[in-house]
Amino acid sequence: MASSGSALLLRILCLCSVLPLALPARPTNVTIGALFTFDSVIGSSARAAIDLAVADVNRDAAVLNGTHLTVFAQDTKCSGFVGTIQALQLMEKEVVAVVGPQSSGIAHVVSHVVNELHVPLLSFAATDPALASAQYPYFVRAIRGDDSSQMAAVADIATYYGWREVTAIYVDNDYGRGGVDALGDALEARRGKVSFKAPLPPDADAAAVVDLLVQVSMMESRVCVVHVNPDSGLAVFAAARSLGMMASGYVWIATDWLAAAVDSKRPADHRMMSLIQGVVTLRQYTPDSGAKRSLKSRFAAGQLNRSAAVNAYGLSAYDAVWMAARAIDEFLDDGGNITFSADPRLQQEVNGSSTLRLDSLRVFDQGELLLQKVMLANFTGVTGNVRFSAGGKSLVDPAYEVLNVGGTGVRRVGYWSNHSRLSVAAPAPTPTTRNNRSIDQQRLYSVVWPGETTSPPRGWVFPNNGRLLRIGVPYRTTYKQFVSKDSSPDGVSGYCIDVFKAAVALLPYPVPFSFILFGDGVKNPSYGDLVNKVADNYFDAAVGDVSIVTNRTRVVDFTQPYVESGLVILSPVKQKSSNAWAFLKPFTLGMWAVTGAFFLFVGSVIWVLEHRFNPEFRGSPRQQLVTIFYFGFSTMFFAHRENTVSSLGRFVLLIWLFVVLIINSSYTASLTSILTVQQLSTGIQGLDGLLASADPIGYQVGSFAKSYMMQELNVPESRLRELNIDQYATSLRLGPHNGGVAAIVDELPYVDLFLSTNCQFKTVGQEFTKSGWGFAFQRDSPLAVDLSTAILTLSENGDLQRIHDKWLSPGQCASSTGTNVAVDRLNLSSFWGLFLISGIACFIALLVFFTRILCQYGKYNQGVDEVTDEESPVRRPERIRSIRDLMAFVDMKEEEVKRAIRRKPSDDRRDRSIASSGGASSLSPSTV
């Protein structure tokens, strides 16, 4: 036993001595790099934050476990070239990770370097969305959100206030161009656009900024999105203020660079704040926490300049250091060993005469493993939950505060996140589902805009370039009431022109315009070509009798319709001749036969029900037969003189009179239509008949009716005839067989005007399209929206109708316009339900009547046999009552029957009493 225990102890001691040899010893020092511009707004905050983070890491025994973290910082001096050199010098120090850079442009260049040397690059400020591509596998964005999410917030703000166009002012480098591209994509997804791009050179002086803003001031859009560097961005607002562009009517939205510049100064710089009054900006959202407050207080205490403060980029830099430290700690815990090796490609390229010392650069052998540890980060930092999205290299749940600059500070008016979008409630710490709320459900607090106004600016004006709006007007040669050339100062007049002028007069801003005639004045122009001129920017708008149809709405924007329209069919008609037997035509033969039969049937039913009660329904057979015929047919005119006294008779008569009322009304209406209807000369009664025939069809010159019939109705072009309106009457009179047309397809307003003076024509069928006339503008023109509101106002206050009555007053045939079709004869299928109801009522009444008769008949004959048996000593055989007896009973008056039934029991009792007394006297003593 003692020997076995000694052996076990020996094995344990051997194992303990081998373990230190199996696991590599943790290094005493690990070096990381930092790459940023020291004296910049972002860099000055990041430098102090990085130093504090390194000190906190080395102070925390739970991280790195005794390994000291060292950081080497290099100044990129806001230069891509200098940044590249500094990055190479940093790599010579064999760093295992780099925190930075702050510039997207430098990040693009340095990413190529770290890709070759396998060093993770943790950027706390490079927000260009292109950096997330697979081209840069070692680039990690250590900031919450990139410019794609930030520009989505900007686009939501613009959409929230109804601005569809914005002007982008941006620094012309990778950072600025990437941000504006993301803004354009975000606006396009919300049916908006960047109407003007104003690129600012990175080293632009004040004069260049002023020149650029002068171009911006000449654009329509007054919504300016500024995406520049925080160090030079204030120059944009200084120039805007000098040009009067910080006044009422303008909207200025700055990305998060402005919030970083404001947050870096405590207290606020009054001169800076005076330049940005009314500006809306974004700030990366970081939830409040004790660690965040502690870092801010330590940052302020450690600064020589007590007015400096940490901004959101500094907070991200602090967490980036902790992200690198935790990844290194996990890497070392897993037995990772930090080694570097020379790159053979660099060794081969080195020339003996070169002084670049590229051979000193070393590849981090375990760089890919460390990168994987970085991507597994999951901890709570000063910016909140630090965790990467699945399969991505950006932190989850990007969110921003929406700030409004006013007075000596900023005021939060809401939040934006990719889950809740615009909201006045702070984003949830751990959102589980995406809430894509519509713009109507989003909300912000009120904003004080430039010019100290709380009313949201319109966001656009007419360009300040002295050019009038070019309004294309169709040069009509017929029906000039709608639009025509005249000698007025405008050169045109008509109903459409007056509506446009009245709508423009309601706008809260002046609209300079000039009318330009479109057409040769010989025939009406093509309205499709006019609309295409607007789409091609030859005209700014088209005003006239322009129909809103599908293919036109694809290329231009229309206002609210100011005239209802639609295609109708115009056809000649003739008065239908009448004859002596026209009164028989409302009903078919079957309807006449059934109606006559029911008059006789109901008369007979009423006679049966009234015969016993009503003396007016009694008499000789001849008189009763006449009563049946007369009463039945006289109900047609409600002229029956016999009164009904029985309840069943009244019930049947009430139902029948209702049926007669319906039949009379229908007959009268049908006969009136037959005697007054106009018959179509061609027999075409609607669209189906028009398509079924092979006759030629006319349409107005320049109308969309031709393309509609060919494309939508598949009418061959050979059937179509182009006509001027003054040719309508002649072509319709000639007809399809004499060189004319069978019908004309045109828009309702033209047809109404034509029919007001041409009574011998009518519209047939129904409108087979529903559209209207509107004013056409270029796509996304704000005028289309504002004029739509003005047109609705004209309609509500009655001005639109007054303009209509001025130009389009009805003519002598106005009352005859409308749809006329052949009148159908009334048949039994339309009334069988009424006849069925009346027949059922008669059947029920007869059933009740005869049931009652049978009951009375039984009572009437009760006891007869018994009386007969007592009177006769010989029993007679049972007598079968005949139908004649029953009929005789039915023919009796009701009073007689009731009297007989009441008398019979009393007679029977009296007879029995007499019989009883007679028997007693026969047995008297004398007889015995």
Side-chain angles (χ1 to χ4, degrees), residues 305-621:
N305 181 7
R306 297 300 181 183
S307 64
V310 66
N311 54 39
Y313 291 105
L315 299 177
S316 297
Y318 181 88
D319 280 349
V321 174
W322 274 95
M323 188 187 303
R326 290 177 181 273
I328 294 171
D329 183 53
E330 293 182 10
F331 168 76
L332 295 177
D333 284 345
D334 291 345
N337 189 21
I338 299 175
T339 60
F340 293 86
S341 60
D343 190 341
R345 293 173 299 175
L346 294 179
Q347 297 292 333
Q348 295 172 3
E349 295 297 329
V350 171
N351 192 325
S353 61
S354 175
T355 59
L356 293 178
R357 298 180 58 191
L358 295 179
D359 57 338
S360 64
L361 298 177
R362 295 288 185 269
V363 177
F364 181 23
D365 297 329
Q366 295 79 27
E368 186 174 356
L369 294 176
L370 181 60
L371 177 64
Q372 294 175 3
K373 297 298 182 182
V374 170
M375 301 306 299
L376 294 175
N378 189 0
F379 64 96
T380 301
V382 295
T383 60
N385 184 25
V386 179
R387 178 170 56 88
F388 289 94
S389 58
K393 294 187 294 182
S394 299
L395 297 179
V396 298
D397 304 330
Y400 296 90
E401 297 177 78
V402 183
L403 308 176
N404 180 213
V405 181
T408 58
V410 295
R411 180 174 62 94
R412 184 172 55 232
V413 296
Y415 301 88
W416 182 93
S417 72
N418 61 344
H419 291 275
S420 61
R421 299 179 68 177
L422 294 177
S423 174
V424 295
T430 55
T432 56
T433 58
R434 183 181 296 273
N435 182 15
N436 290 322
R437 299 187 299 174
S438 66
I439 196 64
D440 295 334
Q441 297 173 311
Q442 300 178 49
R443 185 187 171 201
L444 291 175
Y445 290 121
S446 62
V447 174
V448 179
W449 304 99
E452 298 184 356
T453 176
T454 57
S455 178
R458 190 171 63 250
W460 72 278
V461 295
F462 282 99
N464 188 21
N465 52 19
R467 186 177 71 87
L468 301 177
L469 282 180
R470 293 169 54 87
I471 307 295
V473 177
Y475 192 174
R476 288 194 62 85
T477 59
T478 55
Y479 284 167
K480 298 181 179 180
Q481 296 95 321
F482 295 109
V483 59
S484 65
K485 178 183 178 181
D486 69 356
S487 58
S488 65
D490 291 324
V492 290
S493 63
Y495 169 68
C496 303
I497 301 300
D498 281 4
V499 172
F500 177 74
K501 289 181 179 179
V504 169
L506 293 177
L507 299 180
Y509 48 86
V511 180
F513 59 84
S514 63
F515 293 115
I516 301 173
L517 290 170
F518 177 75
D520 55 11
V522 178
K523 65 176 184 178
N524 294 335
S526 169
Y527 284 68
D529 293 343
L530 174 60
V531 171
N532 288 332
K533 288 289 186 181
V534 177
D536 295 340
N537 203 26
Y538 182 83
F539 291 129
D540 296 305
V543 171
D545 46 339
V546 182
S547 295
I548 304 173
V549 293
T550 303
N551 61 333
R552 295 175 184 174
T553 58
R554 295 192 181 105
V555 295
V556 297
D557 283 347
F558 281 93
T559 63
Q560 170 79 16
Y562 60 91
V563 170
E564 291 185 0
S565 182
L567 292 179
V568 295
I569 301 173
L570 183 65
S571 179
V573 294
K574 64 180 180 180
Q575 193 73 25
K576 186 178 180 180
S577 59
S578 184
N579 56 58
W581 302 101
F583 69 92
L584 295 176
K585 291 185 177 180
F587 289 165
T588 60
L589 179 61
M591 182 65 182
W592 279 117
V594 172
T595 303
F598 254 82
F599 276 118
L600 293 176
F601 172 68
V602 172
S604 301
V605 171
I606 296 295
W607 177 83
V608 170
L609 298 176
E610 292 290 322
H611 179 70
R612 306 185 73 206
F613 300 91
N614 194 339
E616 294 182 356
F617 287 84
R618 302 185 70 86
S620 64

Side-chain angles (χ1 to χ4, degrees), residues 64-96:
L64 293 180
N65 194 19
T67 300
H68 186 77
L69 182 65
T70 303
V71 60
F72 286 109
Q74 297 290 123
D75 189 0
T76 60
K77 299 186 182 300
C78 286
S79 170
F81 175 73
V82 175
T84 304
I85 300 301
Q86 295 296 330
L88 293 174
Q89 293 180 358
L90 199 59
M91 298 305 162
E92 292 178 355
K93 299 179 174 60
E94 296 185 345
V95 296
V96 298

Side-chain angles (χ1 to χ4, degrees), residues 201-283:
D203 55 351
D205 56 12
V209 175
V210 170
D211 292 342
L212 187 68
L213 292 185
V214 168
Q215 298 180 43
V216 172
S217 67
M218 298 177 67
M219 298 297 109
E220 286 186 359
S221 176
R222 285 294 185 262
V223 181
C224 302
V225 178
V226 184
H227 187 57
V228 295
N229 296 318
D231 301 283
S232 59
L234 292 176
V236 174
F237 290 106
R241 184 179 183 185
S242 66
L243 294 174
M245 298 175 65
M246 298 300 295
S248 178
Y250 279 89
V251 176
W252 292 90
I253 303 175
T255 52
D256 60 356
W257 67 266
L258 182 59
V262 173
D263 291 341
S264 299
K265 300 291 184 180
R266 287 292 183 272
D269 186 338
H270 293 288
R271 178 183 175 278
M272 177 179 67
M273 301 303 292
S274 65
L275 297 176
I276 56 177
Q277 293 294 302
V279 176
V280 173
T281 185
L282 299 176
R283 176 200 287 156

Side-chain angles (χ1 to χ4, degrees), residues 129 146-152 155 176-188 190 194:
D146 57 11
D147 283 340
S148 62
S149 58
Q150 182 173 203
M151 292 308 178
R177 289 189 296 269
V180 171
D181 289 344
L183 176 62
D185 293 340
L187 286 172
E188 186 177 354
R190 295 157 177 80
V194 177

Side-chain angles (χ1 to χ4, degrees), residues 753-799:
L753 199 58
F754 173 79
L755 292 178
S756 66
T757 55
N758 294 271
C759 307
Q760 67 273 35
F761 306 102
K762 295 290 181 183
T763 59
V764 295
Q766 303 293 327
E767 294 181 51
F768 52 92
T769 64
K770 289 292 184 181
S771 61
W773 291 354
F775 305 131
F777 288 86
Q778 295 176 7
R779 295 302 299 268
D780 301 324
S781 173
L783 259 181
V785 178
D786 289 354
L787 278 180
S788 294
T789 304
I791 290 172
L792 290 175
T793 303
L794 290 176
S795 177
E796 292 170 357
N797 61 23
D799 288 344

